[in-house]
Amino acid sequence: MKDIDTFSLVSIANTIDLLSEIERDFQGNGTTTIGKDNQGNKKIIASPLVPMGNTTLNTSNQQLKNLQLDPSSRLMLTSSVLNDVNMFETDFDSIEDDEDIQSIIAKAVGGK
């Protein structure tokens, strides 16, 4: 993370706060409410917060993806780093078979 990411982190925090508020409302009031149809009759309808919650969740997923904090980005990043590290691993069996390397080691150990 860099200083340039500060705005993005604040945005994610605000989005998570909004998601928490929506979740608290759902827990207290449920995901449905009483509304009216075209004739003025009462009916059960989805809470207006349902689409807002879905939009906010999609927003948070995109924000996390932009910072490579979502699970798939983190897996890809981790795999990439491991591949880079593995590139530098040495095959110790080939060192033991390499006469030039063994000669250098022998001189270093033997002091010659």
Side-chain angles (χ1 to χ4, degrees), residues 29-104:
N29 302 315
T31 57
T32 59
T33 189
I34 303 296
K36 293 185 179 182
D37 62 15
N38 293 341
Q39 291 80 29
N41 299 321
K42 290 183 180 181
K43 71 176 194 172
I44 297 176
I45 60 169
S47 167
L49 289 178
V50 170
M52 183 181 188
N54 290 337
T55 301
T56 306
L57 185 60
N58 289 336
T59 298
S60 71
N61 288 336
Q62 186 60 45
Q63 289 170 325
L64 292 170
K65 186 173 184 173
N66 288 343
L67 286 175
Q68 294 186 330
L69 296 174
D70 65 309
S72 62
S73 294
R74 289 180 59 84
L75 179 63
M76 186 174 70
L77 180 64
T78 304
S79 298
S80 175
V81 169
L82 287 176
N83 285 341
D84 289 347
V85 169
N86 289 338
M87 180 179 73
F88 294 108
E89 286 185 6
T90 306
D91 180 6
F92 291 107
D93 290 335
S94 66
I95 289 175
E96 290 175 2
D97 295 339
D98 191 311
E99 291 178 13
D100 292 330
I101 293 175
Q102 290 303 318
S103 173
I104 293 169

